[in-house]
Amino acid sequence: DEHYDPRAVQDKWQARWAELDPFEADEKDTAHERRYALDMFPYPSGDLHMGHAEAFGIGDVPARYWFQRGYNVLHPIGWDSFGLPAENAAIKRDSHPAEWTYANIDTQAASFRRYAPSFDWTRRLHTSDPEYYKWTQWLFLRFYERGLAYRKGGHVNWCPKDQTVLANEQVVGGHCERCGALVEKRVLTQWYFKITEYADRLLDDMAQLEGKWPERVLLMQRNWIGRSTGADVDFVIEGRDEPVTVYTTRPDTLYGATFMVVAADAALAEEICHPDHRAAFEAYRDEVSRESEIERLSSEREKTGVFLGRYAVNPVNGERLPVWASDYVLAEYGHGAIMAVPAHDQRDLDFALKFGLPVRVVVETGLADPAETGVATPGDGAIVNSGPIDGLTKADGISRITGILAERGTGRASVNFRLRDWLVSRQRFWGCPIPIVHCESCGEVPVPDDQLPVRLPEGLRGADLAPKGTSPLAAASDWVNVECPKCGGPATRDTDTMDTFVDSSWYYYRYCSPGYEGGPFDVEQVRRWMPVDQYTGGVEHAILHLLYSRFFTKVLYDMGMVDFTEPFTRLLNQGQVINQGKAMSKSLGNGVDLGEQIADFGVDVVRLAILFSGPPEDDIDWADVSPHGMSKFLSRVHRIASEVTSAPGADAATGDTALRRATARTVDEATTLVETQRFNVAIARIMELVTATRKAIDSGPGAADPAVREAAETIAILLSLFAPYTADEAWSLLGSTAPVIKAGWPTADPALLVEDSVTCVVQIAGKVRDRLEVPPGITAEALERQALASPKIQAALAGADVAKTIVRPPKIVNIVPAR
Ligand code: ANZ
Ligand code: ZN
């Protein structure tokens, strides 16, 4: 039967694959090359949607390619299954977060089975399973022992809607990354991971990723870590014993400092404030504490501040600088205090002009006086008004003044990072409990390894989980009150749970040995499978998840558990699926439902439409996609396979040479295109081969020619990366009983790749007048003769004399007529 029904084909092969499990990684096999293809694991919020279809469709291509090449491939799947939405659903429905979570996981798993990425289902994991989070806790304790997990009080980001703290990475433009609420600042004691200790390595190791990760992701990470080099300068404060240190990237402008500014919310501001100015200062500070981060950082806003009634002494010239407090200086960066150089720093200039403070130019940039124009001049130039460094450039001035300060002991070169430690505790229920006990006499006591996992308390559900600013776990008194593991005295469990980004920082290690009970992973298995060869996922994780995973990997390296320092060798960020030029949303009514698309067209059409629409990094506008076109193409493939009449194993060498050349070229190009992730172009090449094969059947050597079989088999194999159901059906129509994934990857006979003619362009005075088919090895003389003999050229010259010919064999001849 020639009729192609994509959904029937799909049902048939889905059942076969479930039986065969052709995608299991083989732990014991050491004979074949190994590859690890990883997709960012899903969060179980409802069923799969178009975004999943795109991400997992793209991630499946390299995995299937490696399977097809006969490699031993690890391509696992699991769920990032702790998190707030489950908890919010449980509160709304008066149920337990686990119910919603695991029901959604089942739904997604069934949809994945149908969508059919080449997953190894035997390695499936869920981060909310006690067997998994036991090891998240184990890792927390190892971090704790190394001083990399610690508790401290201080200003933290607080989401008033979710009623929990957030990491800096989870605050986007001043708003909660999850719910969009305006983030507030609170002073709380929280758990942190000391990622700042790894700042240098997180930056420097990026050299390994250059050219393999998208440049924009590397840039975002670099900016987030934000290494800046400059100097610390100590200023004596009149009437105070201790000096105040400021961090500056421009010590060359030290002579241009005209005042000092301390962060209004830093302890330092309160400490140095003169008693006469206290009332004004406190009023101002209270105002600042109500501001959001977004307001504080806005450069458009008018500057605010108060004088603290103190003077700092400039260490290089003894000048007295008034000390102010303001919100534009951040408490948590550098030393929370700055020397203000209004002539050369815009923020300082705005402040100076607002409060009538002096402006002194110390770098001659050739631009107008900042005091007049209100525009600071931050650029390079000759240093002036600066004693011993007059006449120097910026770079020389920086090193000279840093040297002078160091000699006198009033300053030193310094490096600062924008990166802050990672706040990992959350006041929510559905997360991994922090395995620490607080004892009245012993303080913080780690839960011993043999008592892990610390399971979530039972009995809490629905309204018990409602956010109240403290962790819901605190209400489970039976669970909270325990004996101190150290002294046996009364103690209480830590009631916070971990940021779910902790769970996802190591899941790809667990996949290498999912049932392992001797640790988070079997070191031997990880040595064999990792690092990940190809990681596919959304660019929204460009900072958070990827930075944290890189950090975890470096800690594991220091612990001697892994022998590499970067977890993901290659990274691909797929684009988004949009519709009618806009992100899909309920309010716009432009949503596209994956289930409906699959019901209408079948999985292969959806996959192919996604992969053919453009480069994988680009957004896909579903309005521009043609499922009908894809469907037609697949039925052409199906028809070719059903029409081949030569027997399996027929000697292709006896077949039609032109078609054989087309097949060889397609194999050769598709291989390179898949390896360089130009999947859409690879599909276009397959389409061309389908057209050539159709022609060979209809108006060429016919369906019995062995070259036609060779082409049809090649099409089935290449197509298996993009439309696996149709590929397998075509493959079986061609007479095979094994699935196409076992068919190997074709190689192109080099003899068939040699072109027997190339096209030569013949121009007259730069204008193309003719095209000639010539042998690739043609000589300049022969080519010139042939070009001049061409009837079209003769006609175009119309008898004019030839002044000169420029011949570049075999592709170009340019004829210059005499005038
Ligand atoms: C004097 C100066 C003169 C500065 C000049 C800049 C230009 P990055 O590159 O981000 O490290 N600064 C230092 N600590 C600060 C804080 N806690 N809050 C706000 N600003 C702070 O920027 C370093 C520069 O930002 C420092 O160099 C300091 O201003 C300011 F022509 O010092 B500079
Ligand atoms: Zn104790």
Side-chain angles (χ1 to χ4, degrees), residues 439 441-442 445 484 486-487:
C439 168
S441 35
C442 311
V445 182
C484 169
K486 215 170 180 181
C487 71

Side-chain angles (χ1 to χ4, degrees), residues 228 247-250 253 329-330 333 338-339 344-345 347:
S228 122
Y247 173 67
T248 175
T249 47
R250 297 292 304 274
T253 64
V329 173
L330 303 173
Y333 189 70
I338 64 152
M339 65 181 215
H344 307 297
D345 182 302
R347 298 160 299 179

Side-chain angles (χ1 to χ4, degrees), residues 27 122-125 130-135 138 506 509-526 561:
E27 270 182 20
T122 64
R123 290 167 187 261
R124 171 173 174 174
L125 58 80
E131 304 81 69
Y132 183 90
Y133 71 69
K134 167 178 180 172
W135 300 111
W138 186 93
W506 73 279
Y509 284 102
R510 187 75 184 161
Y511 279 144
C512 297
S513 52
Y516 190 62
E517 290 182 9
F521 54 85
D522 180 345
V523 170
E524 256 327 292
Q525 289 301 332
V526 163
M561 289 181 73

Side-chain angles (χ1 to χ4, degrees), residues 212-232:
K212 297 176 183 165
W213 279 33
E215 190 45 51
R216 65 169 169 170
V217 173
L218 295 177
L219 186 68
M220 282 163 86
Q221 294 231 345
R222 227 174 260 127
N223 288 343
W224 187 262
I225 297 164
R227 180 159 60 195
S228 122
T229 54
D232 282 348

Side-chain angles (χ1 to χ4, degrees), residues 591-667:
V592 176
D593 185 75
L594 175 62
E596 277 170 27
Q597 295 294 312
I598 289 176
D600 288 353
F601 304 107
V603 165
D604 279 358
V605 166
V606 172
R607 278 186 176 229
L608 205 59
I610 286 170
L611 292 163
F612 184 57
S613 76
E617 300 83 2
D618 288 8
D619 288 349
I620 298 171
D621 191 336
W622 203 251
D624 299 339
V625 156
S626 165
H628 289 289
M630 297 300 113
S631 192
K632 246 195 228 141
F633 164 67
L634 290 177
S635 71
R636 296 179 79 200
V637 169
H638 185 268
R639 187 165 155 226
I640 287 173
S642 69
E643 284 176 0
V644 168
T645 53
S646 56
D651 185 7
T654 64
D656 178 65
T657 313
L659 184 58
R660 296 207 69 213
R661 280 185 193 284
T663 303
R665 228 182 6 257
T666 307
V667 168

